[in-house]
Structures are given as C-alpha cells and as structure tokens.
Amino acid sequence: KAGVTQTPRYLIKTRGQQVTLSCSPISGHRSVSWYQQTPGQGLQFLFEYFSETQRNKGNFPGRFSGRQFSNSRSEMNVSTLELGDSALYLCASSSGTSGRSDNEQFFGPGTRLTVL
Amino acid sequence: GQSLEQPSEVTAVEGAIVQINCTYQTSGFYGLSWYQQHDGGAPTFLSYNALDGLEETGRFSSFLSRSDSYGYLLLQELQMKDSASYFCAVSRAGGFKTIFGAGTRLFVKA
C-alpha cells in the first residue's frame, strides 16, 4: 500500500505571495490532518478534514486554509506569506473512523517552505 | 487551555533503558500517542494508550495514568538508531484533533 505523498517537497516563495500544498492520503483513509513544524515548536495542528469537511481547526490565522476533495486528497493554501511561515508542513492521514486505528496517523514526508 | 510538557533532551548510553515523561492538560482527553521522528524524516507512530496501564510493543512500552494526566514512553535495550525526537500527542474527543508536545530529543551514545 502506497504511503502518504506530498507535493511539492521544497518550495521557495517571497513575502506576500501565496502557496498551495498538496497531500494524497493512504488509499482508504478519509481523514487528513495538516501540521506546521518549526525548530523548537514541535508540530502545530492546523486543521483536519474528513469526508470533504473541516472537522477540526487549530489556532492559525485565516491566511491558512484548506480543502479536501471527494477522493480524500487535500490541499492547504497559505495566502500573503510572511517570513514566519517558513516551516516544514506535514500532512497525516488516518482511517478517520472511531476506534483505536483512528489514532494512528501516517505522515507524509512534508513540504519544506522557505519564505524570503 | 491545553498543554503538554515533556523534557527537551535526554541522553542515555547504548543498551540502557530510558523513560521519557509527558504530562498533559486538556479537556475532552481521549488518548495519548507517541511518535518518533528522525532528523529529516517524517514522524512515525509508536504507540497509543486510551486506558490506564502499560502497553508493550517490542523494545518500546508506553504507560498512561489518566488520573494523573501523565504518561511515559519507555525504551529498552537502547540502540544508536533510537537517537531521534520523540513526541507525545493528545487526542481529544469530539472530532479528530491531535495536539503534539514540543518533543524530546534523545541522544544515544556508545
């Protein structure tokens, strides 16, 4: 079974631009979560999508948005980029159903975003 | 609010046992997970506890005490390849939302 894939792997943008990151979950997984990882900050939860609906949201400004398609693929968008948005953006998929398996998340390799 | 606390760094020698603690404060607690992340890699799932007690998976064990809002990851027979960052993460009820701690950097030395 193929793992979680993320594209692009690396991205360089300038302040004020916008960016769209893509995540393809493991086949059959319906839940996709997004995280921002910066040195010393751990993984900060952005949002979670399940069956094309945002089910949970973290404490990030409205510049961060996302969506999920009918095939469970997900995108996140960051508008009006700031220097502080430079980070590794990870997506994780899970079955999304209740039970123990729901709590195991499978992470993609991440997209390294650099804002200049 | 919600918070998780874990040590920032732990150093141990090869072959030893190390325990990484995690204390949490959150509403709607559902369970505690542990993830491992090597430099340049993605986090990988290690274990999950929803009930009090010890869960064992090979060299790794995880413990949870819901009444104390506390858990730990125990790594036995340490190997050099165990050098990595370890994150505890709280799952909350009412939808799938996982909050991660800042991570513990484990250094295993010969």
Side-chain angles (χ1 to χ4, degrees):
Chain A
K1 188 187 274 192
V4 179
T5 59
Q6 291 186 246
T7 57
R9 293 292 312 277
Y10 302 91
L11 206 51
I12 299 176
K13 292 285 187 179
T14 56
R15 279 182 300 173
Q17 287 187 308
Q18 75 164 24
V19 66
T20 299
L21 313 181
S22 180
C23 171
S24 292
I26 290 173
S27 177
H29 283 186
R30 296 164 66 189
S31 169
V32 174
S33 298
W34 288 89
Y35 297 87
Q36 180 194 67
Q37 186 173 31
T38 54
Q41 290 293 314
L43 286 83
Q44 302 292 314
F45 175 78
L46 282 152
F47 28 65
E48 183 234 354
Y49 286 87
F50 177 80
S51 293
E52 301 180 66
T53 301
Q54 188 180 85
R55 191 160 67 169
N56 281 289
K57 189 177 188 304
N59 300 319
F60 276 79
R63 300 185 297 108
F64 292 81
S65 63
R67 60 177 175 169
Q68 186 180 35
F69 302 95
S70 58
N71 60 359
S72 292
R73 190 178 70 84
S74 177
E75 289 181 347
M76 72 163 274
N77 183 276
V78 188
S79 62
T80 319
L81 283 167
E82 301 177 359
L83 295 179
D85 296 333
S86 294
L88 180 67
Y89 290 88
L90 293 158
C91 86
S93 77
S94 69
S95 64
T97 57
S98 61
R100 185 185 180 89
S101 65
D102 189 31
N103 293 282
E104 179 174 1
Q105 296 184 79
F106 296 83
F107 283 82
T111 294
R112 174 75 63 185
L113 172 65
T114 301
V115 182
L116 303 176
Chain B
Q2 53 199 16
S3 65
L4 291 96
E5 289 190 16
Q6 52 182 128
S8 58
E9 282 187 13
V10 173
T11 300
V13 297
E14 204 173 8
I17 299 173
V18 71
Q19 179 175 312
I20 299 174
N21 299 320
C22 174
T23 57
Y24 60 87
Q25 182 177 13
T26 185
S27 58
F29 176 82
Y30 197 73
L32 188 70
S33 304
W34 289 91
Y35 287 79
Q36 177 193 61
Q37 185 179 30
H38 286 99
D39 286 347
T44 56
F45 175 83
L46 291 176
S47 68
Y48 171 72
N49 296 66
L51 304 176
D52 286 357
L54 192 68
E55 294 275 346
E56 297 181 70
T57 309
R59 295 188 297 114
F60 294 1
S61 301
S62 58
F63 171 83
L64 175 65
S65 169
R66 296 175 68 107
S67 60
D68 294 324
S69 298
Y70 164 76
Y72 66 72
L73 179 69
L74 192 72
L75 297 84
Q76 303 182 72
E77 300 173 17
L78 279 174
Q79 302 175 8
M80 298 298 288
K81 67 178 182 180
D82 297 329
S83 292
S85 292
Y86 293 84
F87 296 89
C88 61
V90 168
S91 299
R92 297 177 59 194
F96 189 69
K97 181 176 181 178
T98 304
I99 307 300
F100 282 75
T104 298
R105 182 96 178 178
L106 171 64
F107 296 95
V108 180
K109 54 184 185 179

